Amino acid sequence: ARGDVAAAEFGIVYVDEVDKLAEGAGSASRGGGVNTRSVQSALLKLMEDAEVPLRAPGERPPWLSRNEGRNEAQVIRTRHVLFIFSGAFSDLEAMLRTEQAQQAAAEHAAARAAATDGREQGDDGLEALSTADALVDPLCRAHPRDFVRAGLETEFIGRIPVRVVCRSLRRHDLVAIMRDAEDSVLKQMQRNFDGYGIDLVVTDEALDEIASRAESERTGARGLLTVL
């Protein structure tokens, strides 16, 4: 914001890998000695309409020249700052997937027991229901209490009213990234070959195979570089 406090007070703060703050569900060892509860408490204070000093006492702002001296202490109010948190929550996903499978199996067994006849049509309906449940991402059904079980503080997750789930990149997504992205890994590689006078041509079949292998890596678009 180049020192514009008024503009910064309507800014965006993005914090990645917030799932590393979770202490439950087998992720306690990830803290590496860091008190994750203290980190959550510190973030919580920033999210609660806080007044945060812009710099340490005596520190000169980087946008001032050496001859301009030191400004008076300034604070930024976080009331209108948008905080965005992201994380994989792999442990939570595995836990919810297990519970979802157990619940689906129990409901399936109960439905079969309650059936009054053994008509094939009814069985097909049960199988379709079971398949549909299996396709639902368990994180889509996660409640705040599930994140608390995973290790996040109740007050912390309560301050995040909007939660969305991003699905994993599929094969066709990875093909589109290689083909359409402005500076994709494939285009970088083609430019590297072009520097040696080599025209690197990748067919549609090859793109599909590369994307398929990258999808199996389960590392998102980063898997494209590994395969290439």
Side-chain angles (χ1 to χ4, degrees):
R2 299 291 298 175
D4 189 342
V5 175
E9 288 182 338
F10 288 86
I12 299 175
V13 175
Y14 175 68
V15 181
D16 192 13
E17 297 189 351
V18 72
D19 54 311
K20 300 301 189 295
L21 297 179
E23 293 182 332
S27 59
S29 60
R30 295 179 179 175
V34 177
N35 189 331
T36 59
R37 294 184 182 274
S38 297
V39 176
Q40 292 184 56
S41 298
L43 289 172
L44 187 61
K45 292 177 182 178
L46 297 180
M47 300 161 63
E48 293 179 335
D49 190 11
E51 292 187 349
V52 184
L54 288 178
R55 53 192 176 276
E59 180 184 356
R60 181 173 56 84
W63 58 84
L64 294 180
S65 66
R66 296 182 181 275
N67 297 328
E68 287 184 273
R70 304 183 185 276
N71 261 12
E72 59 184 10
Q74 288 182 306
V75 296
I76 180 172
R77 193 172 184 181
T78 62
R79 179 182 182 86
H80 300 293
V81 173
L82 174 62
F83 287 86
I84 301 176
F85 300 92
S86 66
F89 290 98
S90 301
D91 292 339
L92 176 59
E93 180 182 7
M95 179 177 64
L96 294 177
R97 191 176 298 279
T98 300
E99 294 176 353
Q100 178 179 305
Q102 293 173 346
Q103 180 181 0
E107 293 176 353
H108 188 75
R112 283 188 176 278
T116 57
D117 59 9
R119 289 181 302 173
E120 184 177 352
Q121 182 179 358
D123 291 342
D124 289 344
L126 290 174
E127 293 297 338
L129 177 61
S130 178
T131 302
D133 288 342
L135 294 176
V136 176
D137 191 323
L139 287 179
C140 291
R141 297 180 174 179
H143 294 277
R145 62 176 179 271
D146 296 318
F147 291 95
V148 174
R149 289 165 55 198
L152 294 180
E153 294 292 319
T154 304
E155 296 81 1
F156 182 78
I157 193 64
R159 282 287 179 175
I160 308 176
V162 179
R163 291 175 290 275
V164 297
V165 177
C166 299
R167 65 174 177 82
S168 302
L169 293 174
R170 301 294 189 262
R171 183 175 56 186
H172 64 275
D173 298 318
L174 296 171
V175 170
I177 289 174
M178 287 188 289
R179 178 182 294 154
D180 304 328
E182 183 177 350
D183 195 31
S184 69
V185 175
L186 177 60
K187 293 179 180 179
Q188 293 178 28
M189 187 168 293
Q190 287 174 326
R191 287 197 297 268
N192 291 338
F193 274 84
D194 186 61
Y196 293 94
I198 302 173
D199 187 15
L200 177 62
V201 178
V202 182
T203 64
D204 291 340
E205 292 77 8
L207 286 175
D208 193 66
E209 179 63 22
I210 293 170
S212 179
R213 295 187 183 187
E215 183 182 19
S216 66
E217 294 278 342
R218 297 184 62 83
T219 56
R222 297 183 183 93
L224 294 172
L225 180 60
T226 302
V227 175
L228 285 169

Coordinates of all heavy atoms in Angstrom, one line a residue, residues 147-197:
F147 N -13.6 -29.5 12.6 CA -12.3 -28.8 12.6 C -11.8 -28.7 14.0 O -10.6 -28.7 14.3 CB -12.5 -27.4 12.0 CG -12.7 -27.5 10.5 CD1 -14.0 -27.4 10.0 CD2 -11.7 -27.6 9.6 CE1 -14.3 -27.5 8.6 CE2 -11.9 -27.6 8.2 CZ -13.2 -27.6 7.7
V148 N -12.7 -28.6 15.0 CA -12.3 -28.5 16.4 C -11.7 -29.9 16.8 O -10.7 -29.9 17.5 CB -13.5 -28.1 17.3 CG1 -13.1 -28.2 18.8 CG2 -14.0 -26.7 17.0
R149 N -12.3 -30.9 16.3 CA -11.8 -32.3 16.6 C -10.4 -32.5 16.0 O -9.6 -33.2 16.5 CB -12.7 -33.3 16.0 CG -14.1 -33.5 16.8 CD -15.1 -34.3 16.0 NE -14.5 -35.6 15.6 CZ -15.0 -36.3 14.6 NH1 -16.0 -35.9 13.9 NH2 -14.5 -37.5 14.3
A150 N -10.2 -31.8 14.9 CA -8.9 -31.9 14.2 C -7.8 -31.1 14.9 O -6.6 -31.3 14.7 CB -9.0 -31.4 12.8
G151 N -8.2 -30.2 15.8 CA -7.2 -29.4 16.6 C -7.3 -27.9 16.6 O -6.5 -27.3 17.3
L152 N -8.2 -27.4 15.8 CA -8.4 -25.9 15.8 C -9.2 -25.5 16.9 O -10.1 -26.2 17.4 CB -9.0 -25.5 14.4 CG -8.2 -25.7 13.2 CD1 -9.0 -25.2 12.0 CD2 -6.8 -25.0 13.3
E153 N -8.9 -24.3 17.4 CA -9.7 -23.7 18.5 C -11.1 -23.4 18.1 O -11.3 -23.0 17.0 CB -9.0 -22.5 19.1 CG -7.6 -22.8 19.7 CD -7.8 -23.6 21.0 OE1 -8.7 -23.3 21.8 OE2 -6.9 -24.5 21.2
T154 N -12.1 -23.5 19.0 CA -13.4 -23.2 18.7 C -13.6 -21.8 18.3 O -14.3 -21.4 17.4 CB -14.3 -23.5 20.0 OG1 -14.2 -24.9 20.4 CG2 -15.8 -23.2 19.6
E155 N -12.9 -20.9 19.1 CA -13.0 -19.4 18.8 C -12.4 -19.1 17.4 O -12.9 -18.3 16.7 CB -12.3 -18.6 19.8 CG -12.9 -18.7 21.2 CD -12.5 -20.0 22.0 OE1 -11.7 -20.8 21.4 OE2 -13.0 -20.2 23.1
F156 N -11.4 -19.8 17.0 CA -10.7 -19.6 15.8 C -11.6 -20.0 14.6 O -11.8 -19.2 13.7 CB -9.4 -20.3 15.7 CG -8.6 -20.1 14.5 CD1 -7.8 -18.9 14.3 CD2 -8.5 -21.0 13.5 CE1 -7.1 -18.7 13.2 CE2 -7.8 -20.8 12.3 CZ -7.1 -19.7 12.2
I157 N -12.1 -21.2 14.6 CA -12.9 -21.7 13.5 C -14.2 -20.9 13.5 O -14.8 -20.7 12.4 CB -13.1 -23.2 13.6 CG1 -13.7 -23.7 12.2 CG2 -14.0 -23.5 14.7 CD1 -12.8 -23.6 11.1
G158 N -14.7 -20.4 14.6 CA -15.9 -19.6 14.7 C -15.8 -18.3 14.0 O -16.8 -17.7 13.6
R159 N -14.5 -17.8 13.9 CA -14.3 -16.5 13.2 C -14.2 -16.7 11.7 O -13.9 -15.7 11.0 CB -13.0 -15.9 13.8 CG -13.2 -15.2 15.1 CD -14.0 -14.0 15.0 NE -14.2 -13.3 16.3 CZ -14.8 -12.1 16.4 NH1 -15.2 -11.5 15.4 NH2 -15.0 -11.6 17.6
I160 N -14.3 -17.9 11.2 CA -14.2 -18.1 9.8 C -15.6 -18.6 9.3 O -15.9 -19.8 9.2 CB -13.2 -19.2 9.4 CG1 -11.8 -18.8 10.1 CG2 -13.0 -19.3 7.9 CD1 -10.7 -19.8 9.9
P161 N -16.5 -17.7 9.0 CA -17.9 -18.0 8.7 C -18.1 -18.7 7.4 O -19.1 -19.4 7.2 CB -18.7 -16.7 8.8 CG -17.6 -15.7 8.4 CD -16.3 -16.2 8.9
V162 N -17.3 -18.5 6.4 CA -17.4 -19.0 5.1 C -16.4 -20.1 4.8 O -15.2 -19.8 4.9 CB -17.4 -17.9 4.0 CG1 -17.6 -18.6 2.6 CG2 -18.4 -16.9 4.2
R163 N -16.8 -21.3 4.5 CA -15.8 -22.4 4.3 C -16.2 -23.0 2.9 O -17.3 -23.4 2.7 CB -15.9 -23.4 5.4 CG -15.3 -22.9 6.7 CD -15.4 -23.9 7.9 NE -16.8 -24.0 8.2 CZ -17.5 -23.2 9.1 NH1 -16.8 -22.2 9.7 NH2 -18.7 -23.4 9.4
V164 N -15.2 -23.2 2.1 CA -15.4 -23.8 0.8 C -14.4 -24.9 0.6 O -13.3 -24.9 1.2 CB -15.3 -22.8 -0.4 CG1 -16.3 -21.7 -0.2 CG2 -13.9 -22.2 -0.4
V165 N -14.7 -25.9 -0.3 CA -13.8 -27.0 -0.6 C -13.4 -26.9 -2.1 O -14.3 -26.8 -2.9 CB -14.5 -28.3 -0.3 CG1 -13.6 -29.5 -0.7 CG2 -14.9 -28.4 1.2
C166 N -12.1 -26.9 -2.3 CA -11.6 -26.9 -3.7 C -11.4 -28.4 -4.1 O -10.6 -29.1 -3.4 CB -10.4 -26.1 -3.8 SG -10.6 -24.4 -3.4
R167 N -12.0 -28.8 -5.2 CA -11.8 -30.2 -5.6 C -10.4 -30.4 -6.2 O -9.8 -29.4 -6.7 CB -12.8 -30.6 -6.6 CG -12.8 -29.9 -7.9 CD -13.8 -30.5 -8.9 NE -13.8 -29.7 -10.2 CZ -12.9 -29.9 -11.2 NH1 -11.9 -30.8 -11.0 NH2 -13.0 -29.2 -12.3
S168 N -9.9 -31.6 -6.2 CA -8.5 -31.8 -6.8 C -8.6 -31.6 -8.3 O -9.6 -31.8 -9.0 CB -8.1 -33.3 -6.5 OG -8.1 -33.5 -5.1
L169 N -7.5 -31.3 -8.9 CA -7.4 -31.1 -10.3 C -7.5 -32.5 -11.0 O -6.9 -33.5 -10.7 CB -6.0 -30.5 -10.7 CG -5.8 -29.1 -10.3 CD1 -4.4 -28.6 -10.6 CD2 -6.8 -28.1 -11.0
R170 N -8.4 -32.6 -12.0 CA -8.6 -33.8 -12.8 C -7.7 -33.8 -14.0 O -7.0 -32.8 -14.3 CB -10.1 -33.9 -13.2 CG -11.0 -33.9 -12.0 CD -10.8 -35.2 -11.1 NE -11.9 -35.3 -10.1 CZ -11.8 -35.0 -8.9 NH1 -10.6 -34.4 -8.5 NH2 -12.8 -35.1 -8.0
R171 N -7.8 -34.9 -14.8 CA -6.9 -35.0 -15.9 C -7.2 -33.9 -17.0 O -6.3 -33.3 -17.5 CB -7.2 -36.4 -16.6 CG -6.3 -36.6 -17.8 CD -6.5 -38.0 -18.3 NE -7.9 -38.3 -18.6 CZ -8.4 -39.5 -18.9 NH1 -7.6 -40.6 -19.0 NH2 -9.6 -39.7 -19.2
H172 N -8.5 -33.6 -17.2 CA -8.8 -32.5 -18.2 C -8.3 -31.2 -17.7 O -8.0 -30.3 -18.5 CB -10.3 -32.5 -18.6 CG -11.2 -32.2 -17.4 ND1 -11.6 -33.1 -16.5 CD2 -11.7 -31.0 -17.0 CE1 -12.3 -32.5 -15.6 NE2 -12.4 -31.2 -15.9
D173 N -8.3 -30.9 -16.4 CA -7.8 -29.7 -15.9 C -6.3 -29.5 -16.1 O -5.8 -28.5 -16.5 CB -8.1 -29.6 -14.4 CG -9.5 -29.6 -14.0 OD1 -10.3 -29.0 -14.7 OD2 -9.9 -30.3 -13.0
L174 N -5.6 -30.6 -15.9 CA -4.1 -30.6 -16.1 C -3.8 -30.4 -17.6 O -2.8 -29.7 -18.0 CB -3.5 -31.9 -15.6 CG -3.7 -32.1 -14.1 CD1 -3.2 -33.5 -13.7 CD2 -2.9 -31.0 -13.3
V175 N -4.6 -31.0 -18.5 CA -4.4 -30.8 -19.9 C -4.6 -29.4 -20.3 O -3.8 -28.8 -21.0 CB -5.3 -31.7 -20.7 CG1 -5.3 -31.3 -22.2 CG2 -5.0 -33.2 -20.6
A176 N -5.6 -28.8 -19.7 CA -5.9 -27.3 -20.0 C -4.8 -26.4 -19.5 O -4.5 -25.4 -20.1 CB -7.3 -27.0 -19.4
I177 N -4.2 -26.8 -18.3 CA -3.1 -26.0 -17.8 C -1.9 -26.0 -18.7 O -1.3 -25.0 -19.0 CB -2.8 -26.5 -16.4 CG1 -3.8 -26.2 -15.4 CG2 -1.4 -25.9 -15.9 CD1 -3.6 -26.8 -14.0
M178 N -1.6 -27.2 -19.2 CA -0.5 -27.3 -20.1 C -0.7 -26.6 -21.4 O 0.2 -26.0 -22.0 CB -0.1 -28.8 -20.4 CG 0.5 -29.5 -19.2 SD 1.0 -31.2 -19.7 CE -0.5 -32.0 -19.9
R179 N -1.9 -26.7 -21.9 CA -2.2 -26.2 -23.2 C -2.6 -24.7 -23.2 O -2.2 -23.9 -24.2 CB -3.4 -26.9 -23.8 CG -3.9 -26.4 -25.2 CD -5.1 -27.2 -25.7 NE -4.7 -28.6 -25.9 CZ -5.6 -29.7 -25.8 NH1 -6.8 -29.4 -25.4 NH2 -5.2 -30.9 -26.1
D180 N -3.3 -24.2 -22.2 CA -3.8 -22.8 -22.2 C -3.1 -21.8 -21.3 O -3.3 -20.6 -21.5 CB -5.3 -22.9 -21.9 CG -6.1 -23.8 -22.8 OD1 -5.7 -23.9 -24.0 OD2 -7.1 -24.4 -22.4
A181 N -2.5 -22.3 -20.2 CA -1.9 -21.4 -19.3 C -0.8 -20.6 -20.0 O 0.0 -21.1 -20.8 CB -1.3 -22.2 -18.1
E182 N -0.7 -19.3 -19.6 CA 0.2 -18.4 -20.2 C 1.7 -18.8 -20.1 O 2.4 -18.7 -21.1 CB 0.0 -17.0 -19.6 CG 0.9 -15.9 -20.3 CD 0.6 -14.5 -19.7 OE1 -0.3 -14.4 -18.9 OE2 1.4 -13.6 -20.1
D183 N 2.1 -19.3 -19.0 CA 3.5 -19.7 -18.8 C 3.5 -21.1 -18.2 O 4.2 -21.3 -17.2 CB 4.2 -18.7 -17.9 CG 5.7 -18.8 -18.0 OD1 6.2 -19.2 -19.1 OD2 6.4 -18.5 -17.0
S184 N 2.9 -22.1 -18.9 CA 2.8 -23.4 -18.4 C 4.2 -24.1 -18.4 O 5.1 -23.6 -19.1 CB 1.8 -24.3 -19.1 OG 2.3 -24.5 -20.5
V185 N 4.4 -25.2 -17.7 CA 5.6 -25.9 -17.7 C 6.0 -26.4 -19.1 O 7.1 -26.4 -19.5 CB 5.5 -27.1 -16.7 CG1 6.8 -27.9 -16.7 CG2 5.3 -26.6 -15.3
L186 N 4.9 -26.8 -19.8 CA 5.2 -27.4 -21.1 C 5.7 -26.3 -22.1 O 6.6 -26.5 -22.8 CB 3.9 -27.9 -21.7 CG 3.9 -28.5 -23.1 CD1 5.0 -29.6 -23.3 CD2 2.6 -28.9 -23.6
K187 N 5.1 -25.1 -22.0 CA 5.6 -24.0 -22.8 C 7.0 -23.5 -22.5 O 7.8 -23.2 -23.3 CB 4.6 -22.8 -22.7 CG 3.2 -23.1 -23.3 CD 2.3 -21.9 -23.2 CE 0.9 -22.3 -23.8 NZ -0.1 -21.2 -23.7
Q188 N 7.3 -23.6 -21.2 CA 8.7 -23.3 -20.8 C 9.6 -24.3 -21.4 O 10.7 -23.9 -21.9 CB 8.8 -23.3 -19.2 CG 8.0 -22.2 -18.6 CD 8.1 -22.3 -17.0 OE1 9.0 -22.8 -16.5 NE2 7.0 -21.8 -16.4
M189 N 9.2 -25.6 -21.3 CA 10.1 -26.6 -21.9 C 10.3 -26.4 -23.4 O 11.4 -26.6 -23.9 CB 9.5 -28.0 -21.5 CG 10.4 -29.1 -21.9 SD 9.9 -30.7 -21.1 CE 10.1 -30.3 -19.4
Q190 N 9.2 -26.1 -24.1 CA 9.3 -25.9 -25.5 C 10.2 -24.7 -25.9 O 10.9 -24.8 -26.8 CB 7.9 -25.6 -26.1 CG 7.0 -26.9 -26.1 CD 5.6 -26.6 -26.6 OE1 5.0 -25.5 -26.2 NE2 5.0 -27.5 -27.2
R191 N 10.2 -23.7 -25.0 CA 11.1 -22.5 -25.3 C 12.5 -22.9 -25.0 O 13.4 -22.5 -25.7 CB 10.7 -21.4 -24.4 CG 9.4 -20.6 -24.8 CD 9.3 -19.3 -24.2 NE 9.2 -19.4 -22.7 CZ 8.1 -19.4 -22.0 NH1 6.9 -19.4 -22.7 NH2 8.0 -19.5 -20.7
N192 N 12.8 -23.8 -24.0 CA 14.1 -24.3 -23.8 C 14.6 -25.1 -25.0 O 15.8 -24.9 -25.4 CB 14.1 -25.1 -22.5 CG 13.9 -24.3 -21.2 OD1 14.1 -23.1 -21.2 ND2 13.4 -25.0 -20.2
F193 N 13.8 -25.9 -25.5 CA 14.2 -26.7 -26.7 C 14.4 -25.8 -27.9 O 15.4 -26.0 -28.7 CB 13.2 -27.8 -27.0 CG 13.3 -29.1 -26.3 CD1 12.8 -29.2 -25.0 CD2 14.0 -30.1 -26.8 CE1 13.0 -30.4 -24.3 CE2 14.2 -31.3 -26.1 CZ 13.7 -31.4 -24.9
D194 N 13.6 -24.8 -28.0 CA 13.7 -23.9 -29.1 C 15.0 -23.1 -29.1 O 15.6 -22.8 -30.1 CB 12.5 -22.9 -29.1 CG 12.5 -22.0 -30.3 OD1 12.4 -22.5 -31.4 OD2 12.6 -20.7 -30.1
G195 N 15.6 -22.9 -27.9 CA 16.9 -22.3 -27.8 C 18.0 -23.1 -28.4 O 19.0 -22.5 -28.8
Y196 N 17.8 -24.4 -28.6 CA 18.8 -25.2 -29.2 C 18.3 -25.6 -30.6 O 18.9 -26.5 -31.2 CB 18.9 -26.5 -28.4 CG 19.6 -26.3 -27.0 CD1 18.8 -26.1 -25.9 CD2 21.0 -26.2 -26.9 CE1 19.4 -25.9 -24.7 CE2 21.6 -26.0 -25.7 CZ 20.8 -25.9 -24.6 OH 21.3 -25.7 -23.3
G197 N 17.3 -24.9 -31.1 CA 16.9 -25.1 -32.5 C 16.0 -26.4 -32.7 O 15.9 -26.9 -33.8

